[in-house]
Amino acid sequence: PDAESIKNQKQICNSANIVLFCYNPKDIHEMKGEKDHFLERLELLEEKKVFFIATRKNEYDTDAMQKFMLEFFNSPDMGRKSQIYNENNSFFVDLAEEESALQMLNKILDKIN
């Protein structure tokens, strides 16, 4: 991720009330230099309706990763950001599987309406 992509993401987040936040939780879990970038991307989301979309579901144990992400957001250093992530607004999906992606989008639409 470069500075330009972060800038573009921030502009989108600033102008939207609803944000679909896609990320690979495996990167966060393994701390491959992604944690700081991940936290930087969260900066503008605290006042938005956010849906966290964990991609590449086929690469990890979904239950274990859901537990990890809940613990990650509830760690003391997250502060107010901890309130923006919960089981109701987080999805684990392989976006390459069309049926799975459509099911996720339909669930998000139900929550928005």
Side-chain angles (χ1 to χ4, degrees):
D2 57 20
E4 187 64 26
S5 68
I6 291 173
K7 178 183 170 189
N8 290 339
Q9 289 175 20
K10 286 183 176 181
Q11 287 176 338
I12 292 168
C13 291
N14 265 335
S15 63
N17 290 326
I18 297 169
V19 177
L20 302 182
F21 185 95
C22 295
Y23 68 103
N24 183 350
K26 191 175 173 190
D27 288 342
I28 310 306
H29 185 265
E30 295 174 0
M31 302 299 176
K32 293 181 178 175
E34 291 290 323
K35 183 178 179 181
D36 289 341
H37 173 64
F38 182 81
L39 294 175
E40 187 175 353
R41 291 171 66 200
L42 293 176
E43 285 178 7
L44 298 172
L45 300 181
E46 294 182 51
E47 306 302 322
K48 310 290 182 181
K49 185 166 185 65
V50 184
F51 294 97
F52 290 87
I53 301 170
T55 60
R56 304 184 188 198
K57 179 181 176 181
N58 59 327
E59 294 182 2
Y60 48 81
D61 177 278
T62 305
D63 292 335
M65 197 60 77
Q66 174 84 6
K67 183 175 186 264
F68 168 80
M69 291 306 300
L70 285 169
E71 290 171 359
F72 176 82
F73 271 91
N74 286 306
S75 63
D77 60 329
M78 290 303 287
R80 285 183 42 220
K81 290 184 184 77
S82 65
Q83 299 170 17
I84 67 174
Y85 182 94
N86 59 64
E87 291 177 347
N88 292 321
N89 72 349
S90 62
F91 299 88
F92 290 79
V93 65
D94 185 349
L95 294 176
E97 294 177 10
E98 185 175 357
E99 185 177 334
S100 177
L102 285 172
Q103 286 175 356
M104 176 202 66
L105 289 172
N106 283 327
K107 288 178 185 174
I108 290 174
L109 281 172
D110 287 344
K111 292 176 185 294
I112 292 172
N113 296 328

XYZ file of all heavy atoms in Angstrom, residues 21-96:
648
model
N -15.175 -1.978 4.393
C -13.750 -1.974 4.711
C -13.205 -3.378 4.478
O -13.439 -4.284 5.277
C -13.576 -1.550 6.170
C -12.150 -1.379 6.608
C -11.553 -0.133 6.581
C -11.408 -2.453 7.056
C -10.241 0.037 6.995
C -10.092 -2.303 7.465
C -9.510 -1.049 7.431
N -12.515 -3.563 3.368
C -11.981 -4.886 3.026
C -10.540 -5.020 3.509
O -9.746 -4.083 3.390
C -12.019 -5.096 1.518
S -13.674 -5.143 0.826
N -10.223 -6.164 4.048
C -8.867 -6.414 4.531
C -8.624 -7.910 4.582
O -9.561 -8.703 4.561
C -8.674 -5.810 5.935
C -9.485 -6.503 7.000
C -8.882 -7.398 7.868
C -10.855 -6.292 7.122
C -9.615 -8.063 8.837
C -11.596 -6.949 8.085
C -10.973 -7.831 8.934
O -11.701 -8.496 9.890
N -7.360 -8.289 4.628
C -6.995 -9.692 4.791
C -6.588 -9.889 6.254
O -5.515 -9.440 6.652
C -5.850 -10.064 3.847
C -5.492 -11.535 3.932
O -5.965 -12.255 4.809
N -4.645 -11.985 3.038
N -7.414 -10.548 7.058
C -7.107 -10.688 8.485
C -5.846 -11.499 8.757
O -5.212 -11.340 9.792
C -8.344 -11.375 9.056
C -8.948 -12.082 7.899
C -8.661 -11.235 6.705
N -5.482 -12.344 7.805
C -4.260 -13.135 7.968
C -3.037 -12.215 8.076
O -2.124 -12.466 8.855
C -4.118 -14.099 6.788
C -3.044 -15.145 6.962
C -3.087 -16.122 5.792
C -1.914 -17.083 5.860
N -1.796 -17.879 4.655
N -3.037 -11.139 7.288
C -1.937 -10.176 7.361
C -1.870 -9.519 8.738
O -0.792 -9.315 9.285
C -2.091 -9.086 6.297
C -1.819 -9.599 4.892
O -1.199 -10.677 4.761
O -2.227 -8.926 3.938
N -3.026 -9.170 9.277
C -3.047 -8.531 10.599
C -2.595 -9.530 11.658
O -1.808 -9.209 12.546
C -4.471 -8.023 10.935
C -5.046 -7.183 9.794
C -4.473 -7.241 12.249
C -4.191 -6.037 9.351
N -3.089 -10.737 11.560
C -2.759 -11.780 12.528
C -1.264 -12.070 12.547
O -0.662 -12.251 13.601
C -3.548 -13.048 12.205
C -3.372 -14.143 13.191
N -2.444 -15.155 13.019
C -3.994 -14.393 14.365
C -2.507 -15.974 14.052
N -3.438 -15.537 14.878
N -0.670 -12.114 11.384
C 0.748 -12.445 11.295
C 1.647 -11.210 11.404
O 2.861 -11.330 11.407
C 1.013 -13.188 9.975
C 0.305 -14.537 9.953
C 0.418 -15.245 8.602
O 1.051 -14.696 7.684
O -0.147 -16.344 8.483
N 1.035 -10.029 11.518
C 1.754 -8.766 11.706
C 2.876 -8.567 10.679
O 3.990 -8.192 11.011
C 2.329 -8.665 13.127
C 1.307 -8.770 14.209
S 0.099 -7.433 14.097
C -1.016 -7.892 15.408
N 2.554 -8.805 9.437
C 3.544 -8.654 8.360
C 3.689 -7.186 7.961
O 3.576 -6.835 6.799
C 3.111 -9.462 7.135
C 3.133 -10.950 7.320
C 2.712 -11.620 6.028
C 2.775 -13.116 6.148
N 2.262 -13.793 4.955
N 3.900 -6.335 8.923
C 4.018 -4.921 8.621
C 2.704 -4.283 8.227
O 2.658 -3.140 7.786
N 1.623 -5.020 8.375
C 0.320 -4.516 7.944
C -0.449 -3.833 9.077
O -1.389 -3.102 8.823
C -0.536 -5.662 7.394
C -0.041 -6.235 6.093
C -0.218 -5.267 4.929
O -1.227 -4.554 4.880
O 0.686 -5.210 4.091
N -0.072 -4.077 10.305
C -0.859 -3.545 11.419
C -0.933 -2.019 11.385
O -2.018 -1.452 11.514
C -0.280 -4.008 12.755
C -1.101 -3.546 13.941
C -0.541 -4.069 15.254
C -1.374 -3.582 16.420
N -0.855 -4.054 17.708
N 0.199 -1.354 11.180
C 0.194 0.108 11.156
C -0.653 0.643 10.005
O -1.406 1.601 10.167
C 1.625 0.655 11.055
C 2.408 0.443 12.339
O 1.780 0.218 13.397
O 3.638 0.492 12.278
N -0.530 0.010 8.845
C -1.330 0.430 7.692
C -2.818 0.216 7.980
O -3.652 1.071 7.674
C -0.909 -0.357 6.451
C -1.779 -0.118 5.262
N -1.892 1.103 4.656
C -2.593 -0.951 4.579
C -2.744 1.013 3.646
N -3.182 -0.224 3.580
N -3.146 -0.915 8.580
C -4.528 -1.228 8.930
C -5.078 -0.168 9.878
O -6.166 0.366 9.669
C -4.565 -2.617 9.587
C -5.934 -3.090 9.957
C -6.776 -3.646 9.014
C -6.385 -3.008 11.262
C -8.036 -4.114 9.360
C -7.644 -3.468 11.620
C -8.468 -4.016 10.665
N -4.318 0.182 10.910
C -4.767 1.170 11.889
C -4.904 2.548 11.248
O -5.838 3.294 11.564
C -3.800 1.224 13.069
C -3.755 -0.044 13.921
C -2.680 0.066 14.994
C -5.108 -0.343 14.549
N -4.023 2.880 10.315
C -4.119 4.165 9.631
C -5.396 4.249 8.807
O -6.045 5.288 8.740
C -2.895 4.372 8.738
C -2.840 5.756 8.113
C -1.573 6.014 7.324
O -0.649 5.172 7.363
O -1.506 7.065 6.670
N -5.761 3.149 8.200
C -6.989 3.116 7.395
C -8.237 3.281 8.258
O -9.282 3.708 7.769
C -7.075 1.805 6.619
C -6.043 1.680 5.515
C -6.033 0.290 4.918
N -7.271 -0.004 4.232
C -7.696 -1.239 3.947
N -6.960 -2.282 4.281
N -8.829 -1.438 3.324
N -8.138 2.965 9.545
C -9.301 3.062 10.433
C -9.590 4.481 10.904
O -10.660 4.750 11.413
C -9.082 2.189 11.684
C -9.030 0.683 11.490
C -8.705 0.013 12.811
C -10.338 0.156 10.931
N -8.638 5.387 10.711
C -8.733 6.715 11.312
C -10.041 7.438 11.041
O -10.579 8.082 11.917
C -7.566 7.591 10.844
C -6.262 7.250 11.507
C -5.106 8.098 10.984
O -5.364 9.042 10.208
O -3.970 7.792 11.349
N -10.544 7.354 9.836
C -11.718 8.144 9.462
C -13.035 7.383 9.566
O -14.060 7.866 9.125
C -11.551 8.655 8.025
C -10.355 9.583 7.820
C -10.151 9.867 6.349
C -10.556 10.875 8.586
N -12.995 6.210 10.167
C -14.189 5.365 10.158
C -15.057 5.477 11.406
O -16.159 4.955 11.434
C -13.784 3.894 9.978
C -13.030 3.567 8.691
C -12.722 2.080 8.640
C -13.811 3.986 7.466
N -14.580 6.155 12.421
C -15.278 6.120 13.707
C -16.677 6.724 13.660
O -17.514 6.366 14.463
C -14.420 6.780 14.782
C -13.156 5.983 15.052
C -12.294 6.594 16.148
O -12.830 6.868 17.222
O -11.102 6.795 15.897
N -16.936 7.635 12.747
C -18.260 8.264 12.668
C -19.113 7.678 11.547
O -20.190 8.184 11.257
C -18.102 9.776 12.443
C -17.221 10.469 13.460
C -17.706 10.307 14.895
O -18.941 10.332 15.101
O -16.859 10.140 15.788
N -18.642 6.606 10.933
C -19.332 6.013 9.786
C -20.021 4.704 10.168
O -19.729 4.105 11.185
C -18.326 5.718 8.659
C -17.428 6.863 8.283
C -18.182 7.962 7.582
C -17.245 9.086 7.176
N -17.965 10.180 6.517
N -20.920 4.266 9.289
C -21.477 2.922 9.402
C -20.540 2.029 8.603
O -20.464 2.148 7.382
C -22.897 2.867 8.858
C -23.565 1.528 9.065
C -25.045 1.622 8.820
C -25.762 0.339 9.137
N -25.731 -0.031 10.528
N -19.801 1.176 9.307
C -18.734 0.403 8.680
C -19.077 -1.078 8.679
O -19.574 -1.618 9.671
C -17.400 0.609 9.433
C -16.269 -0.116 8.712
C -17.078 2.083 9.578
N -18.802 -1.732 7.557
C -18.891 -3.175 7.462
C -17.491 -3.684 7.145
O -16.886 -3.282 6.152
C -19.886 -3.601 6.380
C -21.300 -3.214 6.697
C -21.851 -2.063 6.169
C -22.059 -3.984 7.561
C -23.148 -1.693 6.481
C -23.358 -3.621 7.881
C -23.907 -2.476 7.339
N -16.969 -4.534 8.012
C -15.627 -5.077 7.849
C -15.705 -6.379 7.063
O -16.372 -7.327 7.496
C -14.985 -5.321 9.216
C -14.638 -4.054 9.930
C -15.564 -3.416 10.731
C -13.381 -3.490 9.780
C -15.253 -2.234 11.383
C -13.057 -2.307 10.430
C -13.997 -1.677 11.240
N -15.046 -6.418 5.936
C -15.091 -7.591 5.058
C -13.716 -8.248 5.060
O -12.771 -7.743 4.447
C -15.522 -7.192 3.639
C -16.909 -6.530 3.699
C -15.529 -8.414 2.727
C -17.340 -5.874 2.416
N -13.625 -9.338 5.783
C -12.382 -10.108 5.838
C -12.343 -11.009 4.610
O -13.220 -11.855 4.424
C -12.316 -10.925 7.116
N -11.363 -10.795 3.773
C -11.285 -11.516 2.510
C -10.465 -12.799 2.658
O -9.908 -13.081 3.701
C -10.654 -10.618 1.433
O -9.344 -10.240 1.854
C -11.490 -9.370 1.207
N -10.415 -13.565 1.589
C -9.626 -14.802 1.500
C -9.965 -15.799 2.601
O -9.094 -16.371 3.246
C -8.134 -14.471 1.499
C -7.779 -13.503 0.389
C -6.326 -13.250 0.330
N -6.075 -12.171 -0.624
C -4.910 -11.930 -1.166
N -3.881 -12.679 -0.874
N -4.761 -10.938 -2.001
N -11.241 -16.003 2.780
C -11.752 -16.893 3.833
C -11.152 -18.297 3.772
O -11.042 -18.979 4.783
C -13.279 -16.955 3.707
C -13.969 -17.835 4.690
C -15.455 -17.818 4.435
C -16.177 -18.777 5.362
N -17.621 -18.774 5.108
N -10.751 -18.717 2.594
C -10.220 -20.072 2.425
C -8.796 -20.233 2.969
O -8.265 -21.336 3.000
C -10.246 -20.471 0.944
C -9.426 -19.531 0.076
O -9.340 -18.330 0.354
N -8.844 -20.054 -0.983
N -8.160 -19.136 3.438
C -6.764 -19.200 3.867
C -6.581 -19.351 5.379
O -5.456 -19.404 5.855
C -6.010 -17.942 3.398
C -5.897 -17.842 1.898
C -5.098 -16.619 1.461
O -4.609 -15.878 2.332
O -4.967 -16.421 0.243
N -7.668 -19.382 6.140
C -7.540 -19.421 7.600
C -8.791 -20.025 8.209
O -9.817 -20.175 7.549
C -7.302 -18.011 8.159
C -8.264 -16.975 7.619
C -9.548 -16.833 8.144
C -7.900 -16.150 6.562
C -10.431 -15.906 7.637
C -8.776 -15.213 6.041
C -10.040 -15.092 6.592
O -10.923 -14.173 6.067
N -8.689 -20.350 9.494
C -9.837 -20.851 10.248
C -10.709 -19.647 10.623
O -10.293 -18.781 11.380
C -9.345 -21.580 11.504
C -10.498 -22.062 12.349
O -11.038 -21.252 13.131
O -10.877 -23.240 12.231
N -11.915 -19.604 10.078
C -12.773 -18.436 10.245
C -13.118 -18.169 11.708
O -13.067 -17.020 12.160
C -14.069 -18.611 9.425
O -13.717 -18.863 8.062
C -14.922 -17.365 9.496
N -13.465 -19.199 12.463
C -13.827 -19.002 13.875
C -12.655 -18.444 14.676
O -12.814 -17.511 15.472
C -14.317 -20.312 14.505
C -15.651 -20.768 13.931
O -16.413 -19.903 13.444
O -15.926 -21.980 13.971
N -11.476 -19.004 14.451
C -10.288 -18.534 15.164
C -9.960 -17.089 14.773
O -9.591 -16.278 15.626
C -9.100 -19.442 14.873
N -10.129 -16.759 13.495
C -9.815 -15.409 13.053
C -10.838 -14.405 13.569
O -10.488 -13.281 13.925
C -9.724 -15.360 11.532
C -9.020 -14.139 11.008
S -7.301 -13.969 11.576
C -6.483 -15.178 10.532
N -12.108 -14.807 13.633
C -13.138 -13.926 14.196
C -12.805 -13.613 15.648
O -12.879 -12.462 16.081
C -14.510 -14.601 14.103
C -15.627 -13.834 14.781
C -16.237 -12.760 13.914
O -15.908 -12.636 12.742
N -17.108 -11.964 14.474
N -12.394 -14.618 16.392
C -12.008 -14.430 17.793
C -10.801 -13.498 17.897
O -10.766 -12.575 18.720
C -11.692 -15.788 18.437
C -11.349 -15.725 19.901
C -11.166 -17.132 20.454
C -10.961 -17.104 21.946
N -9.597 -17.129 22.371
N -9.816 -13.720 17.034
C -8.624 -12.874 17.038
C -8.977 -11.418 16.764
O -8.503 -10.500 17.445
C -7.603 -13.365 16.003
C -6.488 -12.387 15.765
C -5.424 -12.298 16.660
C -6.518 -11.532 14.672
C -4.404 -11.374 16.459
C -5.499 -10.612 14.459
C -4.442 -10.528 15.366
N -9.817 -11.178 15.750
C -10.152 -9.802 15.389
C -10.953 -9.114 16.497
O -10.762 -7.928 16.767
C -10.916 -9.757 14.060
C -10.074 -10.133 12.850
S -8.526 -9.192 12.648
C -9.143 -7.518 12.490
N -11.850 -9.846 17.163
C -12.581 -9.260 18.290
C -11.624 -8.878 19.414
O -11.738 -7.802 20.008
C -13.661 -10.223 18.798
C -14.903 -10.331 17.917
C -15.769 -11.513 18.366
C -15.708 -9.041 17.948
N -10.663 -9.751 19.688
C -9.662 -9.450 20.715
C -8.774 -8.287 20.284
O -8.423 -7.429 21.099
C -8.815 -10.688 21.019
C -9.582 -11.763 21.754
C -8.824 -13.080 21.876
O -7.689 -13.183 21.359
O -9.382 -14.024 22.478
N -8.413 -8.249 19.015
C -7.589 -7.174 18.472
C -8.273 -5.823 18.681
O -7.666 -4.864 19.163
C -7.341 -7.431 16.983
C -6.579 -6.346 16.268
C -5.193 -6.301 16.336
C -7.246 -5.397 15.523
C -4.479 -5.303 15.664
C -6.542 -4.402 14.851
C -5.165 -4.357 14.921
N -9.561 -5.744 18.346
C -10.278 -4.483 18.493
C -10.555 -4.138 19.956
O -10.760 -2.972 20.277
C -11.575 -4.501 17.683
C -11.384 -4.010 16.284
C -11.088 -4.887 15.265
C -11.473 -2.667 15.984
C -10.887 -4.439 13.963
C -11.275 -2.204 14.695
C -10.982 -3.092 13.682
N -10.580 -5.122 20.821
C -10.831 -4.849 22.232
C -9.555 -4.665 23.038
O -9.609 -4.557 24.258
C -11.698 -5.950 22.841
C -13.133 -5.822 22.362
O -13.739 -4.778 22.486
N -13.665 -6.885 21.789
N -8.415 -4.608 22.358
C -7.162 -4.364 23.064
C -7.127 -2.899 23.510
O -7.729 -2.030 22.873
C -5.963 -4.692 22.172
O -5.949 -3.846 21.046
N -6.443 -2.612 24.605
C -6.435 -1.251 25.167
C -5.965 -0.169 24.188
O -6.465 0.953 24.228
C -5.460 -1.358 26.344
C -5.454 -2.798 26.701
C -5.692 -3.547 25.424
N -5.042 -0.490 23.284
C -4.517 0.546 22.390
C -5.498 0.957 21.295
O -5.266 1.919 20.571
C -3.186 0.104 21.763
C -3.312 -1.159 20.935
O -4.161 -1.993 21.279
O -2.549 -1.321 19.970
N -6.627 0.269 21.159
C -7.594 0.620 20.130
C -8.466 1.805 20.537
O -9.011 2.495 19.691
C -8.470 -0.582 19.771
C -7.730 -1.669 19.030
S -6.953 -1.123 17.503
C -8.385 -0.924 16.463
N -8.635 2.041 21.829
C -9.430 3.179 22.273
C -10.834 3.160 21.704
O -11.507 2.137 21.694
N -11.263 4.311 21.183
C -12.621 4.422 20.644
C -12.830 3.558 19.411
O -13.949 3.205 19.072
C -12.928 5.884 20.303
C -13.182 6.728 21.537
C -13.551 8.166 21.224
N -14.471 8.296 20.111
C -14.383 9.254 19.195
N -13.422 10.135 19.247
N -15.263 9.332 18.228
N -11.761 3.231 18.710
C -11.891 2.405 17.495
C -12.497 1.038 17.819
O -13.080 0.398 16.964
C -10.536 2.233 16.817
C -9.991 3.489 16.183
C -8.695 3.191 15.465
C -8.060 4.429 14.898
N -7.391 5.235 15.894
N -12.346 0.606 19.072
C -12.856 -0.716 19.446
C -14.366 -0.806 19.264
O -14.907 -1.884 19.075
C -12.488 -1.038 20.893
O -13.133 -0.147 21.775
N -15.040 0.340 19.302
C -16.506 0.341 19.204
C -17.017 0.173 17.777
O -18.206 -0.061 17.572
C -17.049 1.642 19.793
C -16.698 1.807 21.255
C -17.035 3.195 21.766
O -17.791 3.928 21.136
N -16.483 3.554 22.901
N -16.134 0.305 16.797
C -16.629 0.249 15.421
C -16.653 -1.172 14.856
O -17.176 -1.392 13.780
C -15.839 1.185 14.483
C -14.397 0.733 14.296
C -15.902 2.617 14.960
C -13.638 1.545 13.260
N -16.095 -2.142 15.567
C -16.034 -3.513 15.060
C -16.796 -4.440 15.995
O -16.606 -4.403 17.207
C -14.572 -3.972 14.996
C -14.380 -5.367 14.431
C -14.120 -5.557 13.094
C -14.458 -6.480 15.255
C -13.937 -6.830 12.569
C -14.281 -7.765 14.742
C -14.018 -7.920 13.400
O -13.845 -9.186 12.895
N -17.699 -5.226 15.438
C -18.401 -6.232 16.235
C -18.842 -7.381 15.330
O -18.632 -7.334 14.115
C -19.596 -5.602 16.967
C -20.580 -4.984 16.013
O -21.193 -5.675 15.203
N -20.736 -3.665 16.075
N -19.416 -8.394 15.917
C -19.822 -9.575 15.139
C -20.909 -9.259 14.125
O -21.044 -9.936 13.116
C -20.276 -10.688 16.079
C -19.136 -11.281 16.890
C -19.603 -12.339 17.866
O -20.820 -12.451 18.092
O -18.745 -13.051 18.403
N -21.696 -8.214 14.366
C -22.792 -7.879 13.462
C -22.348 -7.118 12.224
O -23.079 -7.057 11.247
C -23.857 -7.057 14.200
C -24.574 -7.886 15.243
O -24.866 -9.053 15.027
N -24.845 -7.289 16.388
N -21.181 -6.508 12.271
C -20.757 -5.751 11.096
C -19.482 -6.329 10.466
O -18.825 -5.671 9.675
C -20.564 -4.263 11.433
C -19.338 -3.992 12.284
O -18.713 -4.905 12.817
N -18.998 -2.720 12.431
N -19.150 -7.561 10.837
C -17.968 -8.188 10.253
C -18.362 -9.440 9.475
O -19.206 -10.218 9.913
C -16.942 -8.538 11.335
O -17.466 -9.467 12.242
N -17.757 -9.579 8.313
C -18.052 -10.697 7.424
C -16.740 -11.344 6.992
O -15.749 -10.655 6.764
C -18.807 -10.219 6.186
C -20.128 -9.592 6.502
C -20.217 -8.241 6.785
C -21.278 -10.354 6.542
C -21.437 -7.652 7.090
C -22.504 -9.788 6.854
C -22.580 -8.433 7.120
N -16.767 -12.652 6.876
C -15.601 -13.401 6.397
C -16.029 -14.089 5.111
O -16.962 -14.887 5.115
C -15.145 -14.408 7.456
C -14.527 -13.746 8.654
C -15.312 -13.170 9.629
C -13.149 -13.656 8.777
C -14.746 -12.527 10.721
C -12.568 -13.021 9.868
C -13.377 -12.457 10.841
N -15.376 -13.734 4.023
C -15.849 -14.175 2.719
C -14.676 -14.311 1.753
O -13.661 -13.641 1.893
C -16.904 -13.167 2.172
C -16.286 -11.818 1.904
C -17.610 -13.693 0.952
N -14.838 -15.202 0.801
C -13.903 -15.282 -0.319
C -14.592 -14.580 -1.474
O -15.566 -15.091 -2.036
C -13.599 -16.746 -0.664
C -12.540 -16.881 -1.736
O -12.189 -15.848 -2.348
O -12.063 -17.994 -1.960
N -14.134 -13.393 -1.818
C -14.800 -12.588 -2.839
C -14.746 -13.228 -4.218
O -15.492 -12.839 -5.109
C -14.200 -11.183 -2.877
C -14.440 -10.354 -1.611
C -13.721 -9.017 -1.718
C -15.919 -10.148 -1.347
N -13.884 -14.214 -4.392
C -13.811 -14.918 -5.672
C -14.996 -15.868 -5.853
O -15.296 -16.284 -6.970
C -12.505 -15.700 -5.786
